[in-house]
């Protein structure tokens, strides 16, 4: 389960004001289940596929399909039913838009006979829907889902700051993924930004922004290679996203642990995907600058002291030489007078 929440607290001047907060639990499918999504009480799956819907259509074409919703409980349940678009999370996971988000793809192209379902106890219900691709739709991959959502469960009310009441109502929703390919020329293109780094204590964190600029779903991977002083031929893998939908951007992250206190090295990220291979590089230079700065100050102080000492010695020698010259001159005059 992936929780997300929307909290709208209000503040009262003196008395407690009841405020509602919505906690949405969105359950996303994983392959290999008997149902694409099933929490043990209700579940949803394709009628004719084992995990997700995989559909191919031409622009302007339509298809009728069915999902199966199961009720495993001992009582009838009534569920809200609606389509949504798919999204790529900042971490590279697959997520489903909320019902209130603007739907521009699959979420807008699916029509249902009803937006509410009532499933008898211990029963299954087929849910027909039509997916219509608008004429002129650009070719490529699209993703979305068909959602079933339970009625809100009222939570407990708690007091915040003594005068504000917050109640969390729980809504559970589950969605079966729909992958759609609109026929046409496939464009596989992946661009990247600058490879950046940051030292975090004994770890070195590197970040590589990537963007899917084509029209097909990509699955990028990347590996980092470090070469320099004191490290040599160190390699680590970047976090691997589940997928990258067309038009989506994410940051790939890699961490080198237990790095030395100072480093002068070259970093190279080798990027691979269905779009081909690419690379990005940067130079890493860091040291304990405070300690080095204090060391330089101490060295400068020592150097200044040595320089002053040398000048004093030279001055003393000059004074001695002048004194000796003057003494010799006086002695010479005495000898002449004698």
């Amino acid at each position: 389960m992936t929780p997300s929440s929307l909290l709208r607290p209000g503040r009262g001047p003196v008395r407690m004001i009841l405020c509602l907060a919505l906690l949405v639990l969105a359950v996303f499918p994983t392959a290999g289940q008997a149902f694409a999504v099933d929490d043990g009480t209700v579940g949803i799956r394709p009628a004719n596929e084992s995990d997700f819907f995989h559909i191919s259509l031409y622009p302007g074409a339509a298809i009728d399909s069915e999902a199966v919703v199961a009720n495993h409980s001992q009582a009838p349940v009534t569920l809200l039913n609606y389509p949504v678009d798919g999204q790529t999370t900042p971490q590279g996971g697959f997520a489903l838009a909320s019902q209130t988000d603007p739907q521009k793809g699959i979420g807008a192209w699916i029509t249902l006979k009803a937006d509410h379902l009532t499933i008898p106890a211990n029963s299954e219900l087929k849910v027909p829907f039509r997916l219509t691709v608008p004429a002129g739709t650009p070719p490529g991959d699209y993703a979305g889902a068909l959602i079933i959502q339970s009625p809100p469960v009222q939570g407990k009310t708690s007091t915040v700051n003594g005068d504000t009441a917050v109640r969390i109502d729980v809504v559970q929703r589950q969605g079966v993924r729909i992958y759609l390919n609109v026929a046409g020329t496939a464009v596989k293109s992946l661009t990247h930004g600058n490879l950046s780094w940051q030292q975090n204590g004994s770890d070195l964190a590197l970040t590589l922004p990537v963007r899917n600029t084509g029209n097909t779903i990509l699955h990028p991977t990347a590996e980092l290679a470090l070469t320099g002083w004191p490290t040599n031929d160190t390699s680590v893998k970047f976090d691997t996203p589940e997928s990258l939908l067309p038009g989506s951007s994410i940051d790939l992250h890699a961490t080198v642990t237990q790095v030395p206190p100072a480093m002068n090295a070259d970093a190279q990220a080798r990027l691979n995907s269905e779009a081909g291979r690419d690379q990005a590089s940067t130079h890493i230079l860091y040291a304990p600058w405070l300690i080095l700065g204090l060391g330089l100050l101490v060295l400068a102080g020592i150097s200044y002291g040595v320089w002053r000492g040398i000048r004093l010695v030279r001055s003393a020698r000059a004074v001695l030489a002048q004194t000796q010259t003057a003494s010799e001159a006086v002695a010479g005059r005495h000898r002449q007078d004698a």
Side-chain angles (χ1 to χ4, degrees):
M1 290 187 179
T2 302
S4 62
S5 62
L6 177 62
L7 185 62
R8 296 179 179 173
R11 292 189 58 84
V14 178
R15 296 184 179 181
M16 181 175 65
I17 300 176
L18 179 63
C19 303
L20 297 180
L22 180 64
L23 176 63
V24 178
L25 301 180
V27 183
F28 304 123
T30 56
Q33 296 176 313
F35 274 77
V37 186
D38 196 322
D39 66 359
T41 302
V42 295
I44 182 170
R45 65 173 173 84
N48 299 315
E49 296 190 61
S50 61
D51 51 7
F52 315 134
F53 289 97
H54 300 85
I55 299 172
S56 297
L57 291 173
Y58 285 93
I63 188 173
D64 291 317
S65 191
E66 288 182 329
V68 177
V69 177
N71 176 15
H72 306 300
S73 69
Q74 302 299 317
V77 294
T78 298
L79 304 171
L80 187 64
N81 187 215
Y82 57 90
V84 296
D85 290 340
Q87 300 174 340
T88 297
T89 68
Q91 296 75 30
F94 185 88
L96 303 179
S98 69
Q99 185 182 13
T100 56
D101 289 338
Q103 310 299 329
K104 300 178 181 179
I106 290 177
W109 301 340
I110 285 181
T111 55
L112 295 162
K113 291 184 177 180
D115 57 6
H116 285 80
L117 308 171
T118 299
I119 305 99
N122 295 312
S123 300
E124 293 184 354
L125 179 68
K126 288 188 176 181
V127 181
F129 65 88
R130 169 164 284 198
L131 172 58
T132 303
V133 178
T137 297
D141 293 335
Y142 297 83
L146 192 60
I147 300 290
I148 53 173
Q149 180 175 307
S150 63
V153 177
Q154 183 173 317
K156 294 183 178 180
T157 301
S158 58
T159 303
V160 179
N161 297 328
D163 62 352
T164 301
V166 177
R167 189 184 75 205
I168 298 179
D169 295 341
V170 179
V171 176
Q172 181 170 300
R173 68 174 194 164
Q174 303 179 63
V176 58
R177 299 186 198 184
I178 301 172
Y179 289 106
L180 167 68
N181 176 260
V182 177
T185 302
V187 178
K188 299 178 181 180
S189 177
L190 183 70
T191 60
H192 65 79
N194 295 326
L195 178 64
S196 60
W197 61 274
Q198 182 177 8
Q199 185 192 14
N200 298 321
S202 61
D203 294 341
L204 183 65
L206 293 102
T207 303
L208 179 64
V210 295
R211 179 175 178 82
N212 185 346
T213 52
N215 60 12
T216 64
I217 298 175
L218 300 178
H219 304 83
T221 61
E223 186 172 355
L224 176 74
L226 284 178
T227 303
W229 181 89
T231 182
N232 188 24
D233 295 335
T234 299
S235 66
V236 295
K237 293 184 181 298
F238 283 82
D239 295 337
T240 302
E242 178 185 354
S243 62
L244 189 59
L245 299 177
S248 298
S249 301
I250 60 171
D251 290 339
L252 302 181
H253 298 280
T255 301
V256 183
T257 60
Q258 302 300 316
V259 295
M263 181 181 291
N264 182 16
D266 291 316
Q268 185 179 76
R270 299 161 184 159
L271 185 62
N272 293 287
S273 71
E274 294 87 342
R277 297 182 178 181
D278 203 350
Q279 61 184 28
S281 60
T282 189
H283 186 72
I284 298 175
L285 175 62
Y286 68 85
W289 301 115
L290 179 59
I291 296 176
L292 289 180
L294 292 175
L296 289 175
L297 287 176
V298 172
L299 182 60
I302 294 173
S303 299
Y304 178 75
V306 171
W307 176 74
R308 289 286 296 173
I310 292 174
R311 288 200 61 179
L312 289 173
V313 170
R314 287 177 178 176
S315 297
R317 287 178 178 176
V319 170
L320 290 174
Q322 291 176 359
T323 302
Q324 184 177 0
T325 300
S327 299
E328 290 176 354
V330 170
R333 285 197 296 270
H334 288 167
R335 285 193 298 270
Q336 290 178 359
D337 294 340

